[in-house]
C-alpha cells in the first residue's frame, strides 16, 4: 500500500572542538585515531535546519542542500540512510516506512565548508530529523551521525561533549556523550572571527588521510598527547578552571596545525590573518597576566575564541582595534542561552 507523506523538521548546532579529531583508523566507519572533545554552540547563531519527508509514493531518495539538488548516491549519505533504516527495521520489522523513499532538504544559516563545522551540524541534523521521522531514539544515533561526518556525533548534545575513540573494529564503542550540560559553566562564551568565509582548500577528509599517511608526529599526538589532554581538560571543565582549559585549548589547536604542517606535502589551514590573531591574543593574555582569550582553529582560517563573559567586551574592542575596517563579520555565539550578532 502507498503511504501518505510524513515529515519531520529539526535544527542542530555547530560544535567547536577544543581537543581536535584528526585522523581515521577506519575510513569507512569513520573511526578516529584519537578521542576528541568540543563545546556545542547556541542554536540561534549557527545551525543546520533539515526537513525530511517520506512516502512510498516518492520514486527515489533525493536531497537538496542550501536549495541545490545534490547527489544522493554520496557514500556518507548512503551510510546514514542505511543505518537509520536498519535501526528502524531492528525495532520493528514491519515499520510503516520500510518501503518509503525519503526527500531531504537542508539549509545552513552560515557559510558551508569554510571550517565552521558545517558538516557536523548538517549530519547531526539529518540524523535527528530521520530519527524523529522513523520514531527511533538511541545512543546509537551518535554512531549513525559519526558515519556521516565524524565530528557530527558531537553535535547531538549540548554543553561539552566527548567522543570516545573506542577500541572495537565495528565502531560500536566509538560514541559521543555529554561531559557537562550548558548550565554547568554559564559564563563560558564563544566568539567566532570570520577571517574568510569561502570554501576551504583541502577537505578535512583528504587532509586527515594525508596526515595519517605521511606525518611522523601524528602517532605521538594520538597515542601520547591526546589521552592525557582529554583527562586534563575534562577536569578543568568540571572545576570551571579557565586557565587550564584555555591553555590546553590553544596547545591542542597549535598541535593539530603542526601535524598539518608535518604532512607531506604540507597543509596550511591558517593564513597570515589567523596567525596575526594568535599573536594579538597572546600579547593580550600576557599583558593581563592570565589567559582571557583561548583561540582555536579548525580546518580553515577562521578563529574561534573561548572566553568568559566578563572579558567579551574587552576582546571585541581589541579585535575591532586591530581590524577596524574589516569586511568580515563577527558572529558571536555562546554555548548557553541568548546570543547576539554584531558586525564590525
Ligand atoms: O568531521 P570532519 O571530517 O569535518 O572533521 C573535523 C575535523 C576538525 O574540525 C578539524 C576537528 C574537530 O574535531 O572538529
Amino acid at each position: 500500500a502507498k503511504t501518505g507523506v510524513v515529515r519531520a523538521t529539526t535544527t542542530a548546532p555547530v560544535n567547536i572542538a577544543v581537543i581536535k579529531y584528526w585522523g581515521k583508523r577506519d575510513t569507512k566507519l569513520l573511526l578516529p585515531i584519537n578521542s576528541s572533545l568540543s563545546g556545542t554552540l547556541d542554536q540561534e547563531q549557527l545551525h543546520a535546519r533539515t526537513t525530511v519527508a517520506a512516502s512510498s509514493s516518492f520514486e527515489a531518495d533525493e536531497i537538496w542542500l542550501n536549495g541545490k539538488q545534490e547527489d544522493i548516491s554520496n557514500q556518507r549519505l548512503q551510510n546514514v540512510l542505511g543505518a537509520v533504516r536498519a535501526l528502524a527495521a531492528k525495532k520493528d520489522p514491519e515499520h510503516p516506512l520500510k518501503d518509503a523513499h525519503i526527500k531531504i532538504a537542508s539549509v545552513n544559516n552560515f557559510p558551508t565548508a569554510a571550517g565552521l563545522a558545517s558538516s557536523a551540524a548538517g549530519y547531526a541534523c539529518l540524523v535527528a530529523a530521520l530519527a524523529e521521522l522513523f520514531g527511533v531514539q538511541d545512543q546509537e544515533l551518535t554512531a549513525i551521525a559519526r558515519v556521516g561526518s565524524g565530528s557530527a556525533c558531537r553535535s547531538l548534545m549540548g554543553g561539552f561533549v566527548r567522543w570516545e575513540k573506542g577500541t572495537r573494529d565495528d565502531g560500536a564503542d566509538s560514541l559521543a556523550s555529554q561531559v557537562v550540560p550548558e548550565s554547568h559553566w554559564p559564563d563560558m562564551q564563544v566568539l567566532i572571527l570570520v577571517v574568510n568565509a569561502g570554501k576551504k582548500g583541502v577537505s578535512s577528509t583528504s587532509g586527515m588521510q594525508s596526515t595519517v599517511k605521511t606525518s611522523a608526529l601524528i602517532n605521538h599526538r594520538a597515542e601520547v598527547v591526546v589521552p592525557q589532554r582529554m583527562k586534563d581538560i575534562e577536569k578543568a571543565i568540571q572545576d570551571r578552571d579557565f586557565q587550564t582549559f584555555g591553555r590546553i585549548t590553544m596547545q591542542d589547536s597549535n598541535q593539530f596545525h603542526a601535524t598539518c604542517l608535518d604532512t607531506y606535502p604540507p597543509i596550511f589551514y591558517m593564513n597570515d590573518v589567523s596567525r596575526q590573531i594568535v599573536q594579538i591574543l597572546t600579547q593580550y593574555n600576557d599583558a593581563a597576566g592570565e589567559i582571557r582569550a583561548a583561540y582555536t582553529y579548525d580546518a580553515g582560517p577562521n578563529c574561534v575564541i573561548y572566553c568568559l563573559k566578563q572579558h567579551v567586551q574587552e576582546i571585541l574592542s581589541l579585535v575591532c582595534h586591530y581590524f577596524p575596517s574589516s569586511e568580515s563579520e563577527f558572529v558571536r555565539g555562546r554555548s548557553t542561552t541568548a546570543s547576539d550578532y554584531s558586525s564590525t
Side-chain angles (χ1 to χ4, degrees), residues 73-87:
S73 68
N74 174 300
Q75 194 55 52
R76 305 269 186 104
L77 274 171
Q78 289 300 321
N79 291 347
V80 168
L81 284 169
V84 174
R85 283 178 166 134
L87 183 61

Side-chain angles (χ1 to χ4, degrees), residues 124-146:
C125 200
L126 175 62
V127 169
L130 290 171
E132 201 175 307
L133 192 73
F134 282 85
V136 289
Q137 281 304 335
D138 208 299
Q139 217 213 342
E140 261 183 71
L141 291 181
T142 71
I144 299 179
R146 190 201 72 225

Side-chain angles (χ1 to χ4, degrees), residues 25 31-32 34-37 146 153-154 161-167 171 173-177 230 234:
R25 63 179 202 271
L31 301 178
N34 63 268
S35 298
S36 56
L37 193 146
R146 190 201 72 225
C153 69
R154 299 186 313 238
V161 179
R162 71 171 84 73
W163 169 18
E164 294 282 0
K165 77 182 181 86
T167 52
D173 58 352
S174 188
L175 300 173
S177 55
M230 286 291 292
E234 280 201 29

Side-chain angles (χ1 to χ4, degrees), residues 15-24 30 34 36-38 76 115-120 146 148-154 163 200 203-205 208 256-257 269 297-300:
N15 72 75
I16 301 290
V18 290
I19 302 294
K20 305 294 187 191
Y21 149 52
W22 199 251
K24 296 177 180 66
L30 273 59
N34 63 268
S36 56
L37 193 146
S38 55
R76 305 269 186 104
L116 288 178
S118 54
S119 65
R146 190 201 72 225
S149 180
S151 57
C153 69
R154 299 186 313 238
W163 169 18
K200 60 194 174 200
S203 73
S204 51
T205 303
M208 64 178 84
F256 153 49
H257 291 278
Y269 287 121
Y297 294 80
D298 277 342

